[in-house]
Amino acid sequence: MDPKKFRKAAHRLVDWMADYLEDPGEYPVLPDVEPGEVRAQIDDEAPGQGEDFEAIFSDFENLVVPGMTHWNHPGFFAYFPANHSPPSVLAEMLTATLGAQCMSWETSPAATELEEAMMEWLADLIDLPRGFTGVIQDTASSATLVSLLTAREAAADGEVGRKGMAKGGRDWVIYTSTEAHSSVDKAVKLAGFGLENLRKVGVDEDFAMCPDGLAEAVVADREAGKVPLAVVATVGTTSSTAVDPLREIGAVAEREDLWLHVDAAYAGSAAILPEKRWIFDGIEYADTMVFNPHKWLLTNFDCSAYFTKDVDALISTFQASPEYLKTRHDREVSNFRDWGIPLGRRFRALKLWFVLRSYGADGLRAILRRHIELARWFRGAVDDHPDFEILAPSPFGLVCFRYTPEGVGEAELDEMNQEVLSRLRDEKSLHLTHTRLGEKFCLRMSIGQWQTEGHHVERAWEIITGVVEELRR
Ligand code: PLP
């Protein structure tokens, strides 16, 4: 494709993109496809001869788009949001156009220095105490793995890196709560600690980690000859957005000399709101923390903001400096290839810069407040309905609830709510997912798309109550 053809195709694409962003709600939020249906329409082999852009784009429209779940549909209430925004999309276009691989300062000085500046802006926006330095990781899952690997190497003075776990390791134990995200399990497995050495500390009635339970587990492990190493606390758990009490957990971590990592993947963005800063009360105890602008700060996936207090420990865990990567400026600059797992890095700071400048802190705060207010409204509607029950506090944009008609037993309630969810799946204009809180099957209404307004949430409630009426009949 020569630049002339590219220009023409790009104009066409931008028109399509603008139409899409104007109203993704025009599409069914979930695709109506069976497993294998899309694959069956894709040729078995790559074409021998190049094809016209028109043919490719036509297949994109007719084959790909109908097979997509529209994450930025205003009726997308599933999981947590992966919200984006027009300025973020524009920056991604430029990132793709520049096509830079930003592993070292020298491979694109502007990318490194913009990333440094954006991490400082973010730290400031969420009011992180001084002493943390930031770097962009691809996901919160990677960030948690990076944190635990760093904790391991710091505790072993690099021995595991040199000799392997069998010779350099100890009988380490990691702590988190029963409500922590599965990425903690994954990181414990991958870092070589072994899932048997992951303690899931119990939670209180609001699903937040019990610091006393943590303290007791640490004592029991020490008595058994184990070596407590690290605790992963969550600010905004995946199932219900519970906030682990960082101050109390931090005090235990300090007393017991534990590494503390805070996973604030979804809820961390809320700390741009002064009224939500309480979520990070005690964050000064943390060694590392992560939150995802790619969840709730209008920035395209992928973009996880990872902060550490000990950059030297991070770098000594991940640094690899073969001759072919050495540059003239290595002593004076940050080479982010040494701040995480992959060597190659995308230019992700650009989209943050575009988003933060386009909306400004106040604009972003207004959007997050709108989501929180819509969740408050939805929660009120559920609460006022005699046949529904709220199952957890809603400090952010998530409401956990279930259908509880009178005279129905627990086992049947589970089945009934699964049926509600299954019928909601047939709706084209909304998408909810579920979880279990305690033993209870629970519906999750997660509000966080940049275009979701009151009428979308009201309509969702109408549909949910309509489905329930249908079930009753
Ligand atoms: N941690 C928490 C609390 C989450 O809710 C999630 C995803 O929803 C993750 C980690 C994983 O995020 P990522 O997809 O960035 O790895």
Side-chain angles (χ1 to χ4, degrees), residues 80 139-141 181 183 234 236 238 263 265 292 294-295 304:
F80 281 138
T139 59
S141 303
H181 188 261
S183 54
T234 314
T238 313
D263 173 4
N292 285 351
H294 73 225
K295 277 188 162 50
S304 286

Side-chain angles (χ1 to χ4, degrees), residues 210-273:
C210 295
D212 289 348
L214 171 66
E216 284 159 21
V218 171
V219 169
D221 279 321
R222 281 206 204 286
E223 280 171 7
K226 298 260 189 193
V227 185
L229 176 68
V231 54
V232 180
T234 314
V235 167
T237 58
T238 313
S239 281
S240 73
T241 65
V243 176
D244 288 348
L246 297 186
R247 185 159 296 288
E248 287 87 344
I249 292 169
V252 175
E254 188 174 63
R255 191 172 70 232
E256 299 289 349
D257 196 20
L258 300 179
W259 179 274
L260 173 58
H261 173 60
V262 175
D263 173 4
Y266 158 72
S269 297
I272 68 168
L273 305 173

Side-chain angles (χ1 to χ4, degrees), residues 31-81:
D32 188 14
V33 293
E34 294 299 321
E37 200 177 316
V38 176
R39 180 69 188 81
Q41 297 173 72
I42 301 171
D43 293 342
D44 288 340
E45 288 176 5
Q49 304 296 313
E51 296 180 57
D52 270 354
F53 174 74
E54 285 304 321
I56 302 167
F57 190 67
S58 156
D59 283 349
F60 167 76
E61 283 189 294
N62 299 317
L63 176 70
V64 175
V65 176
M68 293 302 291
T69 297
H70 295 281
W71 278 70
N72 283 282
H73 190 292
F76 185 96
F77 302 115
Y79 310 105
F80 281 138

Side-chain angles (χ1 to χ4, degrees), residues 5 45 111 125 134 136 141 159-160 212 225 227 286 289 328 356 358 362 377 379 416 437 459:
K5 281 190 180 154
E45 288 176 5
L125 280 173
I136 301 178
S141 303
E159 289 276 284
V160 178
D212 289 348
V227 185
M289 71 85 78
R328 292 166 298 160
L356 297 175
S358 295
D362 288 344
W377 179 89
R379 186 184 168 95
M416 216 170 235
L437 284 173
R459 179 73 192 126

Side-chain angles (χ1 to χ4, degrees), residues 218-358:
V218 171
V219 169
D221 279 321
R222 281 206 204 286
E223 280 171 7
K226 298 260 189 193
V227 185
L229 176 68
V231 54
V232 180
T234 314
V235 167
T237 58
T238 313
S239 281
S240 73
T241 65
V243 176
D244 288 348
L246 297 186
R247 185 159 296 288
E248 287 87 344
I249 292 169
V252 175
E254 188 174 63
R255 191 172 70 232
E256 299 289 349
D257 196 20
L258 300 179
W259 179 274
L260 173 58
H261 173 60
V262 175
D263 173 4
Y266 158 72
S269 297
I272 68 168
L273 305 173
E275 66 271 25
K276 293 291 176 191
R277 296 258 162 86
W278 59 268
I279 65 177
F280 285 140
D281 178 42
I283 191 76
E284 63 273 17
Y285 285 107
D287 291 283
T288 56
M289 71 85 78
V290 63
F291 83 99
N292 285 351
H294 73 225
K295 277 188 162 50
W296 200 18
L297 212 58
L298 278 75
T299 307
N300 275 67
F301 187 86
D302 55 345
C303 185
S304 286
Y306 177 65
F307 293 92
T308 180
K309 270 194 194 147
D310 191 343
V311 173
D312 289 344
L314 175 68
I315 292 177
S316 63
T317 304
F318 293 97
Q319 192 164 42
S321 286
E323 191 55 37
Y324 48 80
L325 290 178
K326 288 185 178 144
T327 70
R328 292 166 298 160
H329 298 287
D330 287 348
R331 286 174 192 279
E332 311 151 59
V333 297
S334 296
N335 285 324
F336 284 136
R337 64 166 197 261
D338 292 329
W339 294 49
I341 298 166
L343 168 68
R345 306 182 84 248
R346 298 180 66 238
F347 185 7
R348 288 173 295 215
L350 192 67
K351 57 192 167 187
L352 269 175
W353 196 45
F354 272 42
V355 168
L356 297 175
R357 291 183 62 186
S358 295

